[in-house]
Structure formats: C-alpha cells, structure tokens
Amino acid sequence: MAVFETMAAAARFLLRGAGLKASIANVNIGDQSLFGITLLRLSPNCSSQTKTQRRNAAHFSYHPDPVPTEYGPTTKMNLFQSVTSALDNTLASDPTAVIFGEDVAFGGVFRCTVGLRDKYGKDRVFNTPLCEQGIVGFGIGAAVAGATAIAEIQFADYIYPAFDQIVNEAAKYRYRSGNLFDCGNLTIRAPWGCVGHGSLYHSQSPEAFFAHCPGIKVVIPRGPVQCKGLLLSCIADQNPCIFFEPKILYRAAVEQVPTEAYTIPLSQAEVIQEGSDVTLVAWGTQIHVLREVANMAQEKLGVSCELIDLQTILPWDTETVCKSVAKTGRLLISHEAPITGGFAAEISSTVQEECFLNLEAPIARVCGYDTPFPHIFEPFYIPDKWKCFDAVKKLISY
Amino acid sequence: MATLNSIKNMYGICSHVIRQTTGLRAAKLIQQRAFRVNGALRQQPFDSSEEKPQFPGASAEFIDHLEFIQPNVISGIPVYRVMDRAGKIINPSEDPQLSKEQVLNFYQKMTLLNTMDRILYESQRQGRISFYMTNYGEEGTHIGSAAALDPRDLVFGQYREAGVLMYRGFPLDLFMAQCYANVDDLGKGRQMPVHYGSKDLNFVTISSPLATQIPQAAGAAYAAKRENTNRAVICYFGEGAASEGDAHAGFNFSATLECPLIFFCRNNGYAISTPTNEQYRGDGIGKTGSTLFCLGSRSVCVRCEPRILCRAVAENQPFLIEAMTQATRIGHHSTSDDSSAYRSVDEVNYWDKQDHPISRLRHYMTARSWWSEEDERSWRKQSRKMVMEAFEKAEKRHKPHPDLMFSDVYEEMTPNLVKQKEAMWRHVQQYKEHYPLDAYAK
C-alpha cells in the first residue's frame, strides 16, 4: 500500500507541478484524476505495482557522441531540440522555407517545432488538414515552385497514404521531365521506430519500402548531433528526402550540439568504433543496442567489433561496409523492421557479391519477426542486445 | 442552397435537415425497417435535340451569364437539437417520449463510461497501462447513436466510441482486459489500449490509422445489402479524419454503389491541437457529403437515427450525421497530449461544467422525478465499485502467451513463422533471466 500511496502522491504532484498547465489539468483530469486516485487508494485489493506490470524500461542505453569541435559553440540538446534547431537555422537563412503538417503550429506532438511559428510567422509554420497524401502532394508542389518545403508526417506508420505521391511523383519528377522539373527542395520528416508500447501503428520502421524507390533519399540519425547535421543536409540536398527520427530518442538522447548550422554528408556511413573480428551494421536506435553488444563481445568473448552507422539508407554507402567486411570477414546487420525484405537483406546481398571470398561465416541478420509490431509482446519481438550478442557468438564460432 | 444542391448531385447523398428528438419512436421505427428495391435515379435517355448538357448524370440547365456559387451564402447548415442546456425539450412535439427504463439505461451507461474513463486515464498516468483515450463530453453521442441501431448492425469506429460498445453490452472486464493487454483480451494483447473489438457485438476492431474504416464501411454495407437481411452499417469518425482521402473515397463509393450506411461524424472541434477552422472551411464537414446535422451529444441521435436508418436500408443510400458535439472534446486527445498547450482553461471549463451531456440528461430525468439524489448517490457508488472490481481483476491477470505473437498473421501459420517462433523460444530459454516470462501465461 505504501508504494501505491507514494505513486498516487507522485501523480498528483506531477499534475500540479506544471503551474498554469495544472489548472487545466485540474479541470480536465484534476477532478477526475483525484477521484480516480482516491478510488484506487481506497480499494483494498489493488496491489502495488509489481515489476512485471511496470512499463518496460528501454531496451538500450543511450551513448552520446563526443562533443563536436569543428562546428562552433555547442549547447545541450535532446533529439527533438536538435530538430528544432535545424529548422530554426533553416527558417532564418532561407526565406522560402516553410514547415507544415498536422499539429506543427503549436509545436508538434513531439515538440519538434516549438516556438517556430511565433518566431517566423503563421505563413511559414502552419497546420494542414489531416491528410498525408495532401501533405506530401502539397509539399511536392511547393518544392516544384521553388520553396524549401519541409513536411511532417505525424508518425512513419501513417506515411502510406502519401506513398503514391512519394514513389510515383516525388521520386520520378526529375527523371520523367528530362530534368525540366524537380522537387529537390522537399524534405519529409517522420517519427520512426519502437518506443516501448507503440504497438502496430506507433512503432514501425518503414525504410525498406522506400529503399526500393530510386529517386528519393532515406536518412536516419542515431542522436542529436547526427540528427541536426543530417537533417540540414537533407534540406539542402537537391533531391526529395525522407528523414526518419527515432522517437524513442526524442527525449532520451542528449548531447552537446552545435547551435550554428552544419551538415553531415549523406550517403556516408560512419565507422563509430573500429574493430577487427566482426562488422556490426545498424542505424537509428539500434546503433546503441549494438554498441552494448560490442562491449559485451569484447568483455565476454574477447571479440573486437567494428560498428558502422549506415545513416543513409538510400543511396547507401556500400564502399564503407564492404571495406569493413573485407577486413573482418564477418557481418551482422540488425534492424527492428521485419526480417523478410528488410533492408538488411539488401546489404547482405550486396556484401556477399562484393566480399564473397572474405566471408568467414554467413551474414547474420537480427531483426523483427515477420509479424506486425505487437503491443504486449514487444520485449520478445525486438532484436535486443541478447539476440544480437548470441548472433555474434555464432558468427565467431562458425 | 445552390451549393447544397450541387453537393447532393455530386454525391447522390441525401440532403436533409431532420427535426428529431430523443429516440422515442426508435424501437418502433427499427422494427419497421423494410427492404425496398432502390428507386435510383434513372439516367435520362440521350436526346441530342434537347438544349441541355447531355452527359451521364447531368440534370442541370444551361445559363447564359456567369454566376458564382458563393460558399457562405447561407448562414450555415442548421443544427438540429431537441434539448436545451438545462435538459428541457424545446419543442414538445419533438419529445421522443422515451420510457423511463430506456432513459435510465442511457444515463447509467453514460456515467459508467465516464467512471471507467476516469479510472483508466488515471491508471495510465500511474504507469499501469501504457496509453488511454477518454470519451469525455461524447458519452451522449455514443449511447444515443448505439441505441438506435439494431444489434446486428455492423459498427466501424475510429477510436473514441467506447460508449457504443458499452451500450451493446461489452463487459467492463473485457474493456479492462484490452487496456491491460492481459490474457482475457479478445485481441490477444497485440494492440494499444482502447483498440477494442467484438465479433459478437458486431463492432469491428479499431485500428489507429484514421479514416481507413470509411471506405471499408461502404464495402461492408454493400455486402450487407446483397445479403438481404436488413442489416445496416454505421461508420464513426472525427471531423479531422474526414479530411483524409479515404473519407472522400468512402463517401463517393457509398453513394455511387448505393450502400445502406450511416456515416457518423463526431465533430468535437479539435483534432489533437488542430481546431476546425484549420481542418476545413465552412461550418462542418457536411460540405463533402450529406448535410444532416444532429446535436448528438444530447442523445438526440436516438431519435433521428432510426428514421435515417430506415431510409438508409430501404433506399440503399448513405446518410451522414454530423454530430456537433459542441461540448467539444473536453479531455485531452489522449494520455500523450496536454491540451493546455493549445486550449484555454475557460473554454474547457465551460463545456465541462455548463454543457455536459451527462448533466443535461440528469436534469431531464430529475424534472420527471425519474432520478433522485439518493438514486444518484447509490448509482455512483455501485458503478464505481463495478469499475474498480474489473480494474483490480484485470491488473492481476497474466499477459497472453507469447506464441500469440506469431499467430493470425495469416489464417494459417507459415513455415517461416513456425521457424521464427521456435528460434525465439530457443533464445528465450537460453537467456530467460532477461525476459519477463513470469508476467505471461505459460
């Protein structure tokens, strides 16, 4: 009961702690929540939360990048703040730039656009009706007419109504017109990846669907420093780009990020950690899982892993990956998306073509299962560090 | 008016302003539902001598001067309502004259829903469930519209229609089981909370993407029509979802393919932070379809709906009810939202305190001496007890067996999935201390 009461008190504290927000909290949920808390407290049968009922802790530990020194002064930012910073730099320097999508005006459901409407005006940061095909179509048109169009799709899981516009229009605009027209000024941003409880429609990683589409670029950062630099590159890039932001990292990933604009090149994979025995390839959140796996491999198996962040899924940096596999002879690729037809399959196929005789073991893919992303089974579904570690063991002992 | 006519022509959806009251004749009309052969508009035979536009579907005349159809010529589509804020029937001839039993049932269902919402919202804040969406302010819309339906009518919802399921008899245990994703969940623990479904109660399982249910409902209605069993379909969605391309598709298909279907738009003024003036121009989504408005949050729909349903089934036409739940959305969008970031305290306060459907219905009942303070007290106690019991029970139950992660991807389990399942168990057995197996059914 004690734990319970503490939690109830904590809940009330949190509700009241937000100053002005508290008053509306009290209106909406205050009466109701206090009612709810009272009920929960009075009920003798309500057990205190057991370990199994607590929501799962994250499946990774975030490893921040070292502080960059080459881009000027830095400040502490989390992932969503690094997005805001990139957008702020863009709106400041490019008068044609506009940001639009569902709920971006008040700051966005993940707070990526907080403050921008007030700073730059409602004609530059604005809500659209609830319609993804419209958002992307509108963005293509704006880009064709010369504006820097930055479209937000609220969750990557909801990008599919826009699939026709992306694949049949955006990707093919330049090619089909003989380079008379293009929508290179278009960037589409969307939250991406598992978040602990997102289930079927708030956890998806759809990069593989878009990897199959020549004409667009697909980019996924692992942290705030990469995020800002890569996003600015996407915005500057004269091709339509899709930028997936790992939503589980929005708050959890904190780094010192340069306040000025800077770019990190697209289509360049980064060797985050050098090693000699096994090449590990991933992108986004999974990089942090593999970092731990690399440490575990070193400690428990004496195995030295080379960790590569692919960063750009399309067009991807085959050279860096193949060079690494030529050195180590062993490759593990890991992503949350389902294994069949996932992007690891493409990497695997190319690597075995280029590095066949270097390979000491079959290429390992540790990925999601071929099911929709489940809710309560997430701990069993995701390619966690134990599955990856086990795969490294098998690679070494092949 | 010209605008409305052209919309009507474009979609062939009935355009009516229906004057109705809270569902008195509901029962009678439902029984009277008959299946008549649809008297569809026949094409005019082609006649090149006539000075009229001669293409299929045209019924207009030529004019010789340019005329603009102004969108805001009329002062909006009238909003039908029966009760005023104090729960009094405005026009006595529209009094639905529902029985005391019916109204008490409505009230109890609405308040039970409200109680369940409060408990489950709080439980999310405490980390017991991962997510929740409340139905504050829309209880009347749900219960009222559900009451007019036949239990066989298929319901396609969006995510804020728990009252419809509650009215139909979905037990508290199963609501809780889905939110807790425990072993009793009919959905087998795969979806986030509030994604309910019940085959027995003809409530199609909710999915998160918006408006996807709208063309599906049209297809289901078409199939129901061919079944010839007087079954209708109702499709709920919010005014935000009505902006999706799927909504346009659904409306158009339902009209051209003559589907017996009610589209029920819950217009609560907001789509997360987006107010309606950023969602559409005009006074409602009625521009895209039919123009029936009912003030649903006052349980009015129980009255207007049966007649609409009869016509929908009899004439194989879709009807659109736009419920201006201008109690607006009282709660946050979900537990992931803090609406103080975009709404004023006063605005929300007003709707919660002064114009709530539950209090209006209570005034209606107390005015007829159907409900006393003592009744209220004892019902509150009883409903809270019911909710708490279900809650405590749900919390203690195990989660479903992890094998259920792999089933129902297809009807049959593919060899590939069998292999993946076996690999998962081999792995989990070897590393079992890292997996929360104790919480799951064995």
Side-chain angles (χ1 to χ4, degrees), chain A residues 4 21 24 28 33 35 39-40 43 45 49 53 103 127 130 132-133 199 370 375-376 384 386 390, chain B residues 122 127-128 189-190 244-245 273-274 278-279 338 340 348 384 391-392 395 416 420 431 434-435 440:
Chain A
F4 190 92
K21 282 187 193 174
I24 203 164
N28 286 349
S33 72
F35 162 96
L39 270 185
L40 292 170
S43 161
N45 291 327
Q49 257 195 356
Q53 286 164 342
D103 303 295
N127 290 339
L130 213 168
E132 291 77 16
Q133 66 188 108
S199 184
D370 289 330
H375 177 230
I376 207 67
D384 61 23
W386 302 108
D390 197 71
Chain B
E122 189 52 44
R128 294 160 183 270
R190 295 165 183 153
E244 288 279 9
S273 73
T274 305
E278 291 178 354
Q279 196 62 249
D338 175 4
S340 68
V348 180
R384 285 179 201 184
F391 175 85
E392 289 159 25
E395 190 155 85
N416 180 39
Q420 291 182 9
Y431 292 87
H434 303 293
Y435 295 90
Y440 293 78

Side-chain angles (χ1 to χ4, degrees), chain A residues 99-317:
Chain A
I99 299 172
F100 50 92
E102 293 155 25
D103 303 295
V104 299
F106 91 112
V109 292
F110 289 108
R111 303 165 67 94
C112 294
T113 51
V114 169
L116 297 178
R117 182 179 171 92
D118 287 344
K119 194 167 170 187
Y120 295 101
K122 56 187 171 59
D123 60 316
R124 298 185 70 191
V125 181
F126 52 91
N127 290 339
T128 63
L130 213 168
C131 182
E132 291 77 16
Q133 66 188 108
I135 290 169
V136 174
F138 177 96
I140 292 171
V144 168
T148 295
I150 303 167
E152 177 176 302
I153 298 292
Q154 199 154 82
F155 284 86
D157 313 58
Y158 306 138
I159 201 168
Y160 308 110
F163 203 72
D164 188 31
Q165 286 282 355
I166 294 169
V167 169
N168 272 332
E169 296 293 315
K172 298 170 168 65
Y173 231 89
R174 190 190 295 278
Y175 187 87
R176 72 189 186 192
S177 67
N179 203 19
L180 296 176
F181 296 95
D182 71 83
C183 57
N185 290 330
L186 174 65
T187 304
I188 302 167
R189 301 174 32 246
W192 169 102
C194 80
V195 71
H197 53 272
S199 184
L200 278 70
Y201 302 110
H202 297 83
S203 312
Q204 291 179 36
S205 313
E207 66 273 11
F209 293 111
F210 297 101
H212 194 56
C213 180
I216 52 170
K217 297 198 175 181
V218 179
V219 179
I220 306 175
R222 68 173 180 273
V225 171
Q226 305 304 111
C227 178
K228 179 170 167 172
L230 290 169
L231 179 54
L232 285 169
S233 288
C234 286
I235 293 170
D237 192 284
Q238 285 304 299
N239 297 288
C241 295
I242 302 180
F243 188 75
F244 287 126
E245 298 162 4
K247 65 178 83 69
I248 203 174
L249 297 181
Y250 272 140
R251 287 181 190 270
V254 181
E255 283 172 349
Q256 290 289 123
V257 181
T259 50
E260 305 293 316
Y262 62 99
T263 55
I264 290 175
L266 302 184
S267 297
Q268 258 185 251
E270 187 182 336
V271 180
I272 300 181
Q273 181 179 307
E274 285 188 10
S276 52
D277 302 328
V278 179
T279 300
L280 306 175
V281 174
W283 46 92
T285 317
Q286 200 66 5
I287 286 290
H288 304 288
V289 176
L290 288 186
R291 253 206 250 252
E292 274 187 69
V293 173
N295 293 340
M296 285 157 68
Q298 184 66 68
E299 283 167 36
K300 299 182 201 235
L301 309 169
V303 164
S304 152
C305 294
E306 181 149 292
L307 177 57
I308 300 180
D309 182 0
L310 202 62
Q311 293 184 345
T312 301
I313 306 302
L314 183 75
W316 68 282
D317 182 356

Side-chain angles (χ1 to χ4, degrees), chain B residues 242-262:
Chain B
S243 296
E244 288 279 9
D246 268 346
H248 173 92
F251 298 155
N252 203 17
F253 273 59
S254 69
T256 54
L257 297 169
E258 294 166 2
C259 308
L261 163 60
I262 293 196

Side-chain angles (χ1 to χ4, degrees), chain B residues 112-240:
Chain B
L112 188 63
L113 175 62
N114 189 261
T115 303
M116 183 181 83
D117 272 354
R118 295 179 186 202
I119 301 290
L120 285 177
Y121 184 92
E122 189 52 44
S123 82
Q124 192 278 339
R125 300 328 268 165
Q126 295 182 1
R128 294 160 183 270
I129 60 175
S130 60
F131 177 79
Y132 193 68
M133 298 181 109
T134 59
N135 302 275
Y136 301 147
E138 298 188 36
E139 299 87 348
T141 322
H142 300 178
I143 300 318
S145 57
L149 298 169
D150 186 276
R152 294 175 310 127
D153 292 333
L154 200 52
V155 175
F156 284 83
Q158 179 170 301
Y159 51 56
R160 217 185 292 278
E161 295 90 14
V164 175
L165 208 42
M166 187 165 272
Y167 184 83
R168 284 191 161 184
F170 201 60
L172 288 172
D173 283 344
L174 290 182
F175 278 110
M176 304 279 177
Q178 198 285 328
C179 288
Y180 274 94
N182 71 27
V183 76
D184 301 322
D185 176 22
L186 298 178
K188 302 175 189 171
R190 295 165 183 153
Q191 290 220 71
M192 287 171 89
V194 310
H195 289 66
Y196 311 114
S198 168
K199 190 161 175 101
D200 291 344
L201 300 177
N202 294 305
F203 189 96
V204 180
T205 303
I206 299 300
S207 73
S208 311
L210 297 178
T212 45
Q213 72 276 17
I214 302 178
Q216 292 169 18
Y222 189 86
K225 173 172 85 169
R226 294 200 67 250
E227 252 176 24
N228 219 344
T229 54
N230 267 7
R231 217 180 175 209
V233 174
I234 189 166
C235 178
Y236 294 90
F237 52 94
E239 86 288 347

Side-chain angles (χ1 to χ4, degrees), chain A residues 10-34:
Chain A
R12 262 170 299 167
F13 175 76
L14 285 170
L15 287 172
R16 290 201 189 124
L20 176 61
K21 282 187 193 174
S23 51
I24 203 164
N26 285 335
V27 167
N28 286 349
I29 46 175
D31 286 353
Q32 289 132 348
S33 72
L34 289 176

